[in-house]
Amino acid sequence: MQFFGHIIRFIVSALVLMLVGWLVPHFSVSGFGSALLLAIVIALLGWIIEAVIGTRVTPFGRGIVGFLTSALVIWFAQFIIPSVSVTIIGALLAALVIGIIDLFAPQATPFNHSR
């Protein structure tokens, strides 16, 4: 049953990323498939950074460092997924919006991965 929970979480994360793409200038995702792949890549990059640094990567979980790290992960993910386009400003704004969403629905954001 945990497997289906992960699938649902990534689907919800993809919907959040599509919403962010609609709200945030300089951040675009071409469709649901790209958003789903982006959610997976963001979660994997966050997991790798967490393993190396030893702290959780969330937009507001670790203050300014977590926020900037989240923006960097979002910006870097565009080089892995060609149908995603993000500028530095777009990544900062997306991290801000995702952080706000994470305050109200923490399981809905790609940065909130379970261990």
Side-chain angles (χ1 to χ4, degrees):
M1 202 60 162
Q2 187 178 12
F3 177 73
F4 289 115
H6 288 300
I7 290 175
I8 290 170
R9 187 175 53 81
F10 280 116
I11 289 172
V12 172
S13 293
L15 293 172
V16 166
L17 288 168
M18 290 184 68
L19 175 68
V20 169
W22 183 71
L23 291 173
V24 173
H26 309 290
F27 180 94
S28 65
V29 180
S30 67
F32 180 75
S34 297
L36 185 60
L37 189 57
L38 181 61
I40 293 168
V41 167
I42 288 172
L44 287 174
L45 289 174
W47 179 77
I48 290 168
I49 290 172
E50 183 179 324
V52 171
I53 297 174
T55 62
R56 274 191 68 85
V57 177
T58 59
F60 291 114
R62 295 288 175 202
I64 191 72
V65 173
F67 173 74
L68 292 175
T69 303
S70 298
L72 184 63
V73 165
I74 292 168
W75 180 78
F76 186 74
Q78 75 175 324
F79 299 112
I80 298 171
I81 306 166
S83 56
V84 173
S85 176
V86 184
T87 65
I88 294 292
I89 298 293
L92 290 168
L93 292 172
L96 178 66
V97 171
I98 290 170
I100 291 168
I101 292 170
D102 192 49
L103 289 173
F104 297 103
Q107 293 299 319
T109 64
F111 288 105
N112 194 350
H113 50 279
S114 58
R115 293 179 186 231

